[in-house]
Amino acid sequence: MAYDKFNKLKSTVVPLPAENVDTDQIIPARFLKATEREGFGDNLFRDWRYDVEGNPKKDFVLNDPTYSGKILLAGKNFGSGSSREHAVWALYDYGFRCVVSSFFADIFKNNCLNIGVLPVTISPEFAEVLFNAVEENPSTEIEIDIDKQAITLLSTGQYETFDINSYKKENMKNGFDDIDYLLNIKDEIITFAENK
């Protein structure tokens, strides 16, 4: 399933400094019955966003109109727990195109890259700089440049570079998942097979 192309993203930030956020907190298991990728954003962080009656919890960041944006700035060890892709589907469906953290669970990071949410790993020190900047000014913008593999705090120019597999980088830039990539090179595959 194709997703939005990712080249350069400039956005305000939603800060979620909690550490060790697992996939069951991102999307509780009771919402995993659907097989389509749409609609999961409604239940992103469901138990943190809503009380048992379904009323929004005013103290949760996604319910605070002060913060918005396509970048989620997360605490250390984001996406731990089970390997469910639904967690990333929920982030994508909600509108996040990038998650920034000082550490990601490996399976979660790979799921992000397969679904079109760029996981950007930064140092704990730079994470603290970003959290402080957003706390001081919720209008703070961050720029993610996938070509330069750089994340920049635009108000100060401070930046760090990040790693990304070259294959996944090209897929992100083209909005491809693995199937889209293969379909895109179908003619090359056919030519190669015919010449064997």
Side-chain angles (χ1 to χ4, degrees):
M1 179 176 140
Y3 47 76
D4 296 342
K5 293 180 180 181
F6 194 118
N7 290 292
K8 192 181 283 189
L9 174 64
K10 184 170 83 169
S11 176
T12 50
V13 176
V14 177
L16 184 68
E19 295 186 354
N20 304 311
V21 175
D22 66 39
T23 54
D24 195 53
Q25 292 162 326
I26 297 170
I27 183 77
R30 66 187 181 277
F31 299 109
L32 304 184
K33 296 179 180 87
T35 55
E36 297 293 319
R37 294 183 184 190
E38 290 82 27
F40 284 98
D42 294 339
N43 295 307
L44 177 66
F45 297 114
R46 178 68 188 208
D47 295 335
W48 291 0
R49 281 170 69 190
Y50 303 101
D51 64 22
V52 291
E53 281 85 36
N55 301 308
K57 295 179 181 179
K58 293 180 183 177
D59 61 345
F60 186 62
V61 68
L62 294 189
N63 297 327
D64 184 345
T66 306
Y67 300 103
S68 63
K70 294 184 175 188
I71 300 172
L72 178 65
L73 177 60
K76 182 180 178 181
N77 195 25
F78 189 80
S80 59
S82 75
S83 61
R84 66 184 69 157
E85 289 181 321
H86 303 73
V88 183
W89 292 354
L91 289 164
Y92 186 90
D93 191 56
Y94 185 82
F96 289 117
R97 294 299 173 261
C98 179
V99 180
V100 178
S101 177
S102 61
F103 182 81
F104 291 100
D106 286 340
I107 294 173
F108 177 83
K109 185 174 184 177
N110 285 323
N111 284 340
C112 282
L113 291 167
N114 289 335
I115 292 169
V117 175
L118 181 65
V120 173
T121 305
I122 58 175
S123 69
E125 295 77 18
F126 194 49
E128 186 175 350
V129 167
L130 296 181
F131 277 119
N132 289 338
V134 173
E135 184 179 354
E136 288 175 22
N137 180 6
S139 298
T140 294
E141 289 187 316
I142 292 174
E143 182 178 83
I144 313 288
D145 187 323
I146 199 166
D147 278 325
K148 294 180 181 175
Q149 295 179 208
I151 173 172
T152 305
L153 176 59
L154 293 176
S155 60
T156 65
Q158 289 174 272
Y159 74 94
E160 278 192 358
T161 56
F162 59 89
D163 292 328
I164 182 171
N165 171 290
S166 60
Y167 165 70
K168 292 297 185 184
K169 178 178 178 177
E170 288 306 308
N171 277 359
M172 290 287 298
K173 289 173 63 174
N174 289 297
F176 291 163
D177 64 14
D178 292 333
I179 301 299
D180 297 316
Y181 171 78
L182 291 173
L183 290 173
N184 186 58
I185 61 167
K186 180 176 72 172
D187 292 341
E188 295 172 48
I189 295 169
I190 291 169
T191 301
F192 178 80
E194 287 173 349
N195 291 326
K196 276 301 203 178

